[in-house]
C-alpha cells in the first residue's frame, strides 16, 4: 500500500477555497482506495504555511501512476496550479514504514 501526501500553499488567502474545490475533482478518480482533501487546521505553530492537504492510499505504484495519468488529475492541476504558491508531495510504501520502536534508541 502506498500512502500519498500533498501539501499546498495558496498565493493569497482568497485562493484557499478555490484550491480545495479544484482538488475535490480528484475524488472522481477511481484508483485510490482512500482519498481525502482537507484544509490545514494550522494548529502547529511552526508550520502554518500549508493551506490544503491531500491524503491518499493506493494499492500499489501502478494504482498511483494510473491516478496521476487520469484526465481528472490533469483538470485538477489546470485549475489549482495558477492559484498555488508551493506544492510539496511525499509518498511511501507502508511495507517499508517503521511500525515498532527501535530497541537501540
Amino acid at each position: 500500500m502506498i500512502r500519498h501526501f500533498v501539501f499546498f500553499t495558496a498565493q493569497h488567502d482568497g485562493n484557499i477555497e478555490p484550491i480545495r474545490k479544484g482538488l475535490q475533482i480528484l475524488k472522481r478518480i477511481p484508483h485510490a482506495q482512500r482519498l481525502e482533501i482537507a484544509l490545514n487546521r494550522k494548529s502547529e505553530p511552526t508550520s502554518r504555511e500549508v493551506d490544503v492537504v491531500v491524503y491518499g492510499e493506493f494499492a500499489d505504484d501502478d494504482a498511483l501512476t494510473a491516478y496521476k495519468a487520469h484526465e481528472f488529475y490533469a483538470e485538477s492541476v489546470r485549475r489549482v496550479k495558477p492559484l498555488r504558491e508551493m506544492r510539496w508531495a511525499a509518498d511511501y510504501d507502508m511495507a517499508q514504514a517503521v511500525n515498532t520502536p527501535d530497541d537501540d534508541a
Side-chain angles (χ1 to χ4, degrees), residues 19-91:
I19 288 172
R20 187 188 67 77
K21 286 284 196 185
L23 293 169
Q24 198 169 342
I25 295 166
L26 300 172
K27 296 285 292 173
R28 298 179 188 164
I29 302 173
H31 304 289
Q33 292 181 339
R34 178 181 190 143
L35 190 69
E36 301 172 356
I37 294 94
L39 299 179
N40 182 15
R41 294 177 47 227
K42 300 188 179 183
S43 57
E44 177 62 39
T46 60
S47 295
R48 295 185 181 269
E49 52 277 329
V50 172
D51 295 308
V52 184
V53 178
V54 174
Y55 169 72
E57 293 178 358
F58 297 85
D60 52 30
D61 285 319
D62 290 340
L64 180 57
T65 298
Y67 164 81
K68 291 181 179 181
H70 198 280
E71 64 184 287
F72 288 140
Y73 186 90
E75 176 62 19
S76 179
V77 169
R78 186 188 67 74
R79 292 184 189 196
V80 171
K81 192 171 185 176
L83 304 172
R84 67 173 170 85
E85 182 70 30
M86 297 292 294
R87 177 191 180 272
W88 299 274
D91 302 317

